[in-house]
Amino acid sequence: MSHSNGRSRHGNSSSSPRHARPALEGLEERLLMYGALGGNWVYGSRITYSFAPDGTSIGGTPSTLYQSLTARMWESTWQVAFQRAAAAWQAVAGINLVQVSDNGMPFGEYGHQQGDSRVGDIRIGAIAQGSGTLALAFAPPQINGGTLAGDIVLNSTIPWNVNATYDLQTVAIHELGHALGMDHSAIYNAAMYQYYVGGKQSLHADDTAGIRAIYGARRFDDWNSYGNSNLYYWEAKSLDTWRNGLNQITVPNLNITMPGQAEWFWVTIPADSVGGFTVRMQSAGLSSLTPQITVYDASLNLKGTAATAGFGDTATLTVHGAIGQGFFIKLSPASWGGSTGSYGLQINFGTNPLTPFQPPYTVIPHQPGTGGGFMSMTADAGAGAHDDETVRIGSLIGQGHTYTIPPADPTATTSVVAAAAPPLGAAWGQALRQDVSASSRGGSWIAIGFLDEALSAWGSGDDDASPAFGGRMRARKPA
């Protein structure tokens, strides 16, 4: 390859043309990126999760979720960590995640695979586990069957924090990803990277691509599809013809698809109104959206606003006005909380009470699992992978792949046992032990692990050279 016109790179003439030195062109990076476990929830429109009350049996060991987490932070703080994690996945995929109550029945009790009224599809509990483990999660259907699918178990002995090691929201995002069907990613900055390497409280593009490969992207509702749009006030859609015999308007199946999106509607106060109207925006029972209502008059003068603080809640606003007066209604996510999700709109011009929207039907009866898919996340990338292992916690058994802290012996047969919470420090890792059994088939576990000596020093402040919360983990090799 020579320069044209016989000119050098400095623009001067040359009697003998200069030849460019050949160079190797770098190839595009070929990393194994996101993966899917091969299972998913049939009804992505409503996947529920619940916090198991203390005393709930997890393989024969009582859960201490509330006791262990509330000892380190407010109950609302640790629950919000999970709520934010659920909202993060909901924001980028065609799913809605909803928190529901939990009646405390044993993990793995016979029941519906999805939509069991007693507990969430994904249950969250905590027991003491072996050193090297932060949390475990069963893979979703069809890998696991019955109520056990998708369940998450934290290690109750971990010094949990938010915005510090060990960051609960980071682990919640990772484990919920597995419970939804995500495998590990080879991308270091991805939330689904198999090793805990610091705080990751949001999703990487690789995580987004992975969850969309399973459930598809979040879709606009009918008001913003098929050539329709009501994203701005000048596109507001009139609902005056939607009034029923009770002088009410009900608009189901609405959806905030993108963070910051709004939907605009227009109403006119009818002659038989009570001198105004009440607007209700409900995501409670439908999604993790945090709703906000704003009402303006025809000249865009603010008449009122209402928002909630909850992930999945109902905002209500009453506006007074004269018969025949028109109003803009803007529905959007609050500036905090869940930024996307399904919701319903109700407007009442009369005196009859509004009936809340009922959740969609999502019942899938118990089905046997297909097995496979155990994954773990450890602090040391040198840990090896061993196929076709079974992990056992009491009476709960899962089969698949395990990634352990080196040195690892793939022929070892042990099992996870409950233990009293040990003191923090160098001796912490000796207080627990982890068993891995290579026997019968069952559910699939996914674990996040860590090197006990290095990481217990982080939590106890024993290591002056410990990395910052966002830094890369410095794993110590065994002597």
Side-chain angles (χ1 to χ4, degrees), residues 41 47-49 107 113 120-124 136-141 143-153 175-176 178-181 444 446:
W41 298 95
I47 303 168
T48 62
Y49 66 95
F107 274 46
Q113 189 160 290
D121 302 325
I122 300 169
R123 302 179 71 191
I124 301 162
L136 302 165
F138 281 106
I143 300 171
N144 288 302
T147 64
L148 194 59
D151 290 352
I152 295 170
V153 184
E175 295 302 335
L176 280 172
H178 285 312
L180 292 170
S444 300
I446 299 152

mmCIF file of all heavy atoms in Angstrom, residues 41 47-49 107 113 120-124 136-141 143-153 175-176 178-181 444 446:
data_model
loop_
_atom_site.group_PDB
_atom_site.id
_atom_site.type_symbol
_atom_site.label_atom_id
_atom_site.label_comp_id
_atom_site.label_asym_id
_atom_site.label_seq_id
_atom_site.Cartn_x
_atom_site.Cartn_y
_atom_site.Cartn_z
ATOM 1 N N TRP A 41 -40.525 -18.328 33.142
ATOM 2 C CA TRP A 41 -41.884 -18.309 33.671
ATOM 3 C C TRP A 41 -42.853 -18.159 32.507
ATOM 4 O O TRP A 41 -42.670 -17.312 31.639
ATOM 5 C CB TRP A 41 -42.051 -17.168 34.666
ATOM 6 C CG TRP A 41 -41.131 -17.330 35.836
ATOM 7 C CD1 TRP A 41 -39.896 -16.768 35.981
ATOM 8 C CD2 TRP A 41 -41.350 -18.136 36.996
ATOM 9 N NE1 TRP A 41 -39.329 -17.177 37.165
ATOM 10 C CE2 TRP A 41 -40.193 -18.012 37.807
ATOM 11 C CE3 TRP A 41 -42.393 -18.939 37.421
ATOM 12 C CZ2 TRP A 41 -40.078 -18.674 39.027
ATOM 13 C CZ3 TRP A 41 -42.272 -19.601 38.635
ATOM 14 C CH2 TRP A 41 -41.130 -19.462 39.429
ATOM 15 N N ILE A 47 -44.947 -12.043 37.440
ATOM 16 C CA ILE A 47 -44.122 -12.980 38.195
ATOM 17 C C ILE A 47 -44.023 -12.429 39.610
ATOM 18 O O ILE A 47 -43.584 -11.299 39.809
ATOM 19 C CB ILE A 47 -42.721 -13.118 37.572
ATOM 20 C CG1 ILE A 47 -42.821 -13.549 36.111
ATOM 21 C CG2 ILE A 47 -41.872 -14.100 38.368
ATOM 22 C CD1 ILE A 47 -41.511 -13.430 35.350
ATOM 23 N N THR A 48 -44.440 -13.197 40.579
ATOM 24 C CA THR A 48 -44.490 -12.691 41.953
ATOM 25 C C THR A 48 -43.280 -13.149 42.756
ATOM 26 O O THR A 48 -42.634 -14.146 42.437
ATOM 27 C CB THR A 48 -45.775 -13.151 42.659
ATOM 28 O OG1 THR A 48 -45.788 -14.582 42.734
ATOM 29 C CG2 THR A 48 -47.011 -12.682 41.894
ATOM 30 N N TYR A 49 -42.979 -12.388 43.819
ATOM 31 C CA TYR A 49 -41.932 -12.784 44.758
ATOM 32 C C TYR A 49 -42.396 -12.455 46.162
ATOM 33 O O TYR A 49 -43.230 -11.558 46.376
ATOM 34 C CB TYR A 49 -40.596 -12.112 44.438
ATOM 35 C CG TYR A 49 -40.568 -10.606 44.604
ATOM 36 C CD1 TYR A 49 -40.118 -10.019 45.790
ATOM 37 C CD2 TYR A 49 -40.980 -9.764 43.578
ATOM 38 C CE1 TYR A 49 -40.075 -8.648 45.944
ATOM 39 C CE2 TYR A 49 -40.949 -8.391 43.718
ATOM 40 C CZ TYR A 49 -40.492 -7.834 44.900
ATOM 41 O OH TYR A 49 -40.472 -6.469 45.050
ATOM 42 N N PHE A 107 -40.361 -24.462 52.049
ATOM 43 C CA PHE A 107 -39.881 -24.370 50.682
ATOM 44 C C PHE A 107 -40.055 -25.735 50.014
ATOM 45 O O PHE A 107 -39.753 -26.776 50.601
ATOM 46 C CB PHE A 107 -38.405 -23.981 50.658
ATOM 47 C CG PHE A 107 -38.152 -22.498 50.711
ATOM 48 C CD1 PHE A 107 -38.828 -21.687 51.625
ATOM 49 C CD2 PHE A 107 -37.249 -21.902 49.851
ATOM 50 C CE1 PHE A 107 -38.604 -20.321 51.681
ATOM 51 C CE2 PHE A 107 -37.007 -20.533 49.889
ATOM 52 C CZ PHE A 107 -37.686 -19.737 50.809
ATOM 53 N N GLN A 113 -46.936 -24.321 40.107
ATOM 54 C CA GLN A 113 -45.612 -23.918 39.654
ATOM 55 C C GLN A 113 -45.526 -22.411 39.493
ATOM 56 O O GLN A 113 -44.484 -21.806 39.717
ATOM 57 C CB GLN A 113 -45.312 -24.607 38.324
ATOM 58 C CG GLN A 113 -43.903 -24.448 37.838
ATOM 59 C CD GLN A 113 -43.561 -25.516 36.825
ATOM 60 O OE1 GLN A 113 -43.429 -26.682 37.172
ATOM 61 N NE2 GLN A 113 -43.428 -25.118 35.575
ATOM 62 N N GLY A 120 -45.124 -16.315 46.880
ATOM 63 C CA GLY A 120 -44.666 -15.799 45.608
ATOM 64 C C GLY A 120 -44.114 -16.900 44.728
ATOM 65 O O GLY A 120 -43.722 -17.969 45.205
ATOM 66 N N ASP A 121 -44.098 -16.642 43.428
ATOM 67 C CA ASP A 121 -43.464 -17.586 42.514
ATOM 68 C C ASP A 121 -41.991 -17.748 42.881
ATOM 69 O O ASP A 121 -41.446 -18.846 42.818
ATOM 70 C CB ASP A 121 -43.574 -17.084 41.073
ATOM 71 C CG ASP A 121 -45.012 -16.876 40.630
ATOM 72 O OD1 ASP A 121 -45.886 -17.658 41.061
ATOM 73 O OD2 ASP A 121 -45.263 -15.935 39.855
ATOM 74 N N ILE A 122 -41.360 -16.638 43.236
ATOM 75 C CA ILE A 122 -39.975 -16.622 43.717
ATOM 76 C C ILE A 122 -40.013 -16.296 45.207
ATOM 77 O O ILE A 122 -40.476 -15.218 45.585
ATOM 78 C CB ILE A 122 -39.144 -15.574 42.964
ATOM 79 C CG1 ILE A 122 -39.116 -15.877 41.466
ATOM 80 C CG2 ILE A 122 -37.729 -15.480 43.530
ATOM 81 C CD1 ILE A 122 -38.548 -14.753 40.625
ATOM 82 N N ARG A 123 -39.558 -17.212 46.037
ATOM 83 C CA ARG A 123 -39.550 -16.969 47.475
ATOM 84 C C ARG A 123 -38.122 -16.656 47.917
ATOM 85 O O ARG A 123 -37.155 -17.198 47.380
ATOM 86 C CB ARG A 123 -40.083 -18.184 48.238
ATOM 87 C CG ARG A 123 -41.477 -18.585 47.831
ATOM 88 C CD ARG A 123 -41.940 -19.798 48.612
ATOM 89 N NE ARG A 123 -42.210 -19.474 50.012
ATOM 90 C CZ ARG A 123 -42.421 -20.375 50.961
ATOM 91 N NH1 ARG A 123 -42.306 -21.665 50.683
ATOM 92 N NH2 ARG A 123 -42.688 -19.993 52.201
ATOM 93 N N ILE A 124 -37.998 -15.811 48.927
ATOM 94 C CA ILE A 124 -36.693 -15.381 49.413
ATOM 95 C C ILE A 124 -36.593 -15.713 50.900
ATOM 96 O O ILE A 124 -37.436 -15.289 51.695
ATOM 97 C CB ILE A 124 -36.499 -13.870 49.181
ATOM 98 C CG1 ILE A 124 -36.627 -13.553 47.688
ATOM 99 C CG2 ILE A 124 -35.151 -13.404 49.724
ATOM 100 C CD1 ILE A 124 -36.890 -12.107 47.382
ATOM 101 N N LEU A 136 -28.023 -18.595 47.186
ATOM 102 C CA LEU A 136 -28.370 -19.674 46.275
ATOM 103 C C LEU A 136 -29.729 -19.382 45.663
ATOM 104 O O LEU A 136 -30.576 -18.761 46.298
ATOM 105 C CB LEU A 136 -28.444 -21.006 47.027
ATOM 106 C CG LEU A 136 -27.196 -21.461 47.773
ATOM 107 C CD1 LEU A 136 -27.557 -22.589 48.737
ATOM 108 C CD2 LEU A 136 -26.133 -21.926 46.811
ATOM 109 N N ALA A 137 -29.939 -19.854 44.434
ATOM 110 C CA ALA A 137 -31.243 -19.675 43.803
ATOM 111 C C ALA A 137 -31.574 -20.870 42.938
ATOM 112 O O ALA A 137 -30.744 -21.340 42.169
ATOM 113 C CB ALA A 137 -31.266 -18.406 42.948
ATOM 114 N N PHE A 138 -32.785 -21.387 43.068
ATOM 115 C CA PHE A 138 -33.267 -22.412 42.164
ATOM 116 C C PHE A 138 -33.604 -21.786 40.817
ATOM 117 O O PHE A 138 -34.157 -20.685 40.756
ATOM 118 C CB PHE A 138 -34.510 -23.083 42.730
ATOM 119 C CG PHE A 138 -34.227 -24.115 43.778
ATOM 120 C CD1 PHE A 138 -34.482 -23.852 45.113
ATOM 121 C CD2 PHE A 138 -33.725 -25.348 43.424
ATOM 122 C CE1 PHE A 138 -34.232 -24.808 46.079
ATOM 123 C CE2 PHE A 138 -33.471 -26.317 44.377
ATOM 124 C CZ PHE A 138 -33.725 -26.039 45.713
ATOM 125 N N ALA A 139 -33.278 -22.468 39.745
ATOM 126 C CA ALA A 139 -33.638 -22.016 38.408
ATOM 127 C C ALA A 139 -35.155 -22.082 38.239
ATOM 128 O O ALA A 139 -35.845 -22.786 38.968
ATOM 129 C CB ALA A 139 -32.946 -22.888 37.362
ATOM 130 N N PRO A 140 -35.687 -21.333 37.274
ATOM 131 C CA PRO A 140 -37.146 -21.260 37.097
ATOM 132 C C PRO A 140 -37.688 -22.505 36.404
ATOM 133 O O PRO A 140 -36.931 -23.405 36.023
ATOM 134 C CB PRO A 140 -37.298 -20.030 36.204
ATOM 135 C CG PRO A 140 -36.062 -20.036 35.360
ATOM 136 C CD PRO A 140 -34.968 -20.509 36.290
ATOM 137 N N PRO A 141 -39.010 -22.575 36.215
ATOM 138 C CA PRO A 141 -39.540 -23.626 35.342
ATOM 139 C C PRO A 141 -38.905 -23.477 33.959
ATOM 140 O O PRO A 141 -38.500 -22.364 33.587
ATOM 141 C CB PRO A 141 -41.043 -23.316 35.288
ATOM 142 C CG PRO A 141 -41.298 -22.392 36.457
ATOM 143 C CD PRO A 141 -40.043 -21.636 36.670
ATOM 144 N N ILE A 143 -36.980 -26.040 34.331
ATOM 145 C CA ILE A 143 -35.860 -26.753 34.945
ATOM 146 C C ILE A 143 -36.281 -27.327 36.290
ATOM 147 O O ILE A 143 -35.980 -28.462 36.622
ATOM 148 C CB ILE A 143 -34.647 -25.825 35.097
ATOM 149 C CG1 ILE A 143 -34.198 -25.316 33.723
ATOM 150 C CG2 ILE A 143 -33.505 -26.532 35.808
ATOM 151 C CD1 ILE A 143 -33.160 -24.225 33.781
ATOM 152 N N ASN A 144 -36.983 -26.534 37.085
ATOM 153 C CA ASN A 144 -37.538 -26.997 38.343
ATOM 154 C C ASN A 144 -39.051 -26.949 38.282
ATOM 155 O O ASN A 144 -39.628 -26.082 37.631
ATOM 156 C CB ASN A 144 -37.050 -26.129 39.504
ATOM 157 C CG ASN A 144 -35.593 -26.378 39.820
ATOM 158 O OD1 ASN A 144 -35.200 -27.493 40.125
ATOM 159 N ND2 ASN A 144 -34.784 -25.337 39.728
ATOM 160 N N GLY A 145 -39.689 -27.854 38.984
ATOM 161 C CA GLY A 145 -41.143 -27.901 39.011
ATOM 162 C C GLY A 145 -41.697 -27.473 40.350
ATOM 163 O O GLY A 145 -40.968 -27.344 41.339
ATOM 164 N N GLY A 146 -42.997 -27.233 40.401
ATOM 165 C CA GLY A 146 -43.671 -26.911 41.647
ATOM 166 C C GLY A 146 -43.260 -25.583 42.234
ATOM 167 O O GLY A 146 -42.687 -24.724 41.559
ATOM 168 N N THR A 147 -43.519 -25.405 43.519
ATOM 169 C CA THR A 147 -43.265 -24.122 44.170
ATOM 170 C C THR A 147 -41.787 -23.854 44.416
ATOM 171 O O THR A 147 -41.417 -22.744 44.786
ATOM 172 C CB THR A 147 -44.004 -24.043 45.522
ATOM 173 O OG1 THR A 147 -43.477 -25.034 46.412
ATOM 174 C CG2 THR A 147 -45.496 -24.272 45.346
ATOM 175 N N LEU A 148 -40.923 -24.854 44.217
ATOM 176 C CA LEU A 148 -39.499 -24.668 44.477
ATOM 177 C C LEU A 148 -38.812 -23.843 43.393
ATOM 178 O O LEU A 148 -37.769 -23.232 43.633
ATOM 179 C CB LEU A 148 -38.820 -26.038 44.583
ATOM 180 C CG LEU A 148 -37.405 -26.075 45.175
ATOM 181 C CD1 LEU A 148 -37.392 -25.520 46.589
ATOM 182 C CD2 LEU A 148 -36.873 -27.502 45.145
ATOM 183 N N ALA A 149 -39.382 -23.804 42.208
ATOM 184 C CA ALA A 149 -38.761 -23.106 41.079
ATOM 185 C C ALA A 149 -38.528 -21.635 41.412
ATOM 186 O O ALA A 149 -39.425 -20.940 41.886
ATOM 187 C CB ALA A 149 -39.642 -23.217 39.838
ATOM 188 N N GLY A 150 -37.304 -21.157 41.161
ATOM 189 C CA GLY A 150 -36.976 -19.743 41.320
ATOM 190 C C GLY A 150 -36.678 -19.284 42.727
ATOM 191 O O GLY A 150 -36.340 -18.112 42.926
ATOM 192 N N ASP A 151 -36.782 -20.149 43.721
ATOM 193 C CA ASP A 151 -36.599 -19.703 45.106
ATOM 194 C C ASP A 151 -35.144 -19.336 45.380
ATOM 195 O O ASP A 151 -34.210 -19.935 44.843
ATOM 196 C CB ASP A 151 -37.070 -20.776 46.083
ATOM 197 C CG ASP A 151 -38.580 -20.934 46.083
ATOM 198 O OD1 ASP A 151 -39.264 -20.106 45.435
ATOM 199 O OD2 ASP A 151 -39.078 -21.886 46.710
ATOM 200 N N ILE A 152 -34.953 -18.330 46.255
ATOM 201 C CA ILE A 152 -33.641 -17.767 46.576
ATOM 202 C C ILE A 152 -33.381 -17.927 48.070
ATOM 203 O O ILE A 152 -34.267 -17.660 48.891
ATOM 204 C CB ILE A 152 -33.580 -16.281 46.185
ATOM 205 C CG1 ILE A 152 -33.710 -16.117 44.664
ATOM 206 C CG2 ILE A 152 -32.306 -15.615 46.701
ATOM 207 C CD1 ILE A 152 -33.905 -14.679 44.223
ATOM 208 N N VAL A 153 -32.174 -18.343 48.410
ATOM 209 C CA VAL A 153 -31.793 -18.503 49.816
ATOM 210 C C VAL A 153 -30.490 -17.743 50.059
ATOM 211 O O VAL A 153 -29.455 -18.074 49.481
ATOM 212 C CB VAL A 153 -31.617 -19.984 50.193
ATOM 213 C CG1 VAL A 153 -31.319 -20.111 51.688
ATOM 214 C CG2 VAL A 153 -32.854 -20.789 49.828
ATOM 215 N N GLU A 175 -29.162 -12.840 41.771
ATOM 216 C CA GLU A 175 -29.975 -14.020 42.060
ATOM 217 C C GLU A 175 -31.340 -13.968 41.381
ATOM 218 O O GLU A 175 -31.848 -14.988 40.908
ATOM 219 C CB GLU A 175 -30.126 -14.202 43.570
ATOM 220 C CG GLU A 175 -28.829 -14.499 44.294
ATOM 221 C CD GLU A 175 -28.136 -15.763 43.778
ATOM 222 O OE1 GLU A 175 -28.801 -16.660 43.238
ATOM 223 O OE2 GLU A 175 -26.910 -15.833 43.916
ATOM 224 N N LEU A 176 -31.953 -12.789 41.330
ATOM 225 C CA LEU A 176 -33.218 -12.674 40.604
ATOM 226 C C LEU A 176 -33.005 -12.957 39.117
ATOM 227 O O LEU A 176 -33.880 -13.529 38.452
ATOM 228 C CB LEU A 176 -33.818 -11.280 40.800
ATOM 229 C CG LEU A 176 -34.560 -11.068 42.116
ATOM 230 C CD1 LEU A 176 -34.930 -9.593 42.288
ATOM 231 C CD2 LEU A 176 -35.822 -11.935 42.194
ATOM 232 N N HIS A 178 -30.941 -15.145 37.885
ATOM 233 C CA HIS A 178 -30.979 -16.596 37.769
ATOM 234 C C HIS A 178 -32.403 -17.128 37.923
ATOM 235 O O HIS A 178 -32.822 -18.026 37.191
ATOM 236 C CB HIS A 178 -30.098 -17.224 38.839
ATOM 237 C CG HIS A 178 -28.630 -17.106 38.556
ATOM 238 N ND1 HIS A 178 -28.069 -17.414 37.343
ATOM 239 C CD2 HIS A 178 -27.596 -16.718 39.354
ATOM 240 C CE1 HIS A 178 -26.761 -17.235 37.395
ATOM 241 N NE2 HIS A 178 -26.447 -16.804 38.607
ATOM 242 N N ALA A 179 -33.145 -16.605 38.893
ATOM 243 C CA ALA A 179 -34.515 -17.060 39.129
ATOM 244 C C ALA A 179 -35.413 -16.804 37.925
ATOM 245 O O ALA A 179 -36.418 -17.488 37.733
ATOM 246 C CB ALA A 179 -35.085 -16.374 40.374
ATOM 247 N N LEU A 180 -35.043 -15.808 37.109
ATOM 248 C CA LEU A 180 -35.814 -15.497 35.900
ATOM 249 C C LEU A 180 -35.354 -16.307 34.695
ATOM 250 O O LEU A 180 -36.022 -16.305 33.659
ATOM 251 C CB LEU A 180 -35.702 -14.003 35.584
ATOM 252 C CG LEU A 180 -36.377 -13.062 36.566
ATOM 253 C CD1 LEU A 180 -35.995 -11.619 36.277
ATOM 254 C CD2 LEU A 180 -37.898 -13.225 36.539
ATOM 255 N N GLY A 181 -34.203 -16.971 34.804
ATOM 256 C CA GLY A 181 -33.727 -17.809 33.717
ATOM 257 C C GLY A 181 -32.390 -17.436 33.143
ATOM 258 O O GLY A 181 -31.944 -18.041 32.161
ATOM 259 N N SER A 444 -32.387 -26.954 40.466
ATOM 260 C CA SER A 444 -31.101 -26.404 40.033
ATOM 261 C C SER A 444 -30.725 -25.228 40.897
ATOM 262 O O SER A 444 -31.498 -24.313 41.068
ATOM 263 C CB SER A 444 -31.195 -25.940 38.591
ATOM 264 O OG SER A 444 -31.541 -27.028 37.784
ATOM 265 N N ILE A 446 -28.139 -21.988 41.946
ATOM 266 C CA ILE A 446 -27.218 -20.999 41.424
ATOM 267 C C ILE A 446 -26.649 -20.285 42.633
ATOM 268 O O ILE A 446 -27.398 -19.865 43.484
ATOM 269 C CB ILE A 446 -27.972 -20.007 40.543
ATOM 270 C CG1 ILE A 446 -28.595 -20.780 39.398
ATOM 271 C CG2 ILE A 446 -27.072 -18.938 40.022
ATOM 272 C CD1 ILE A 446 -29.810 -20.164 38.884
#
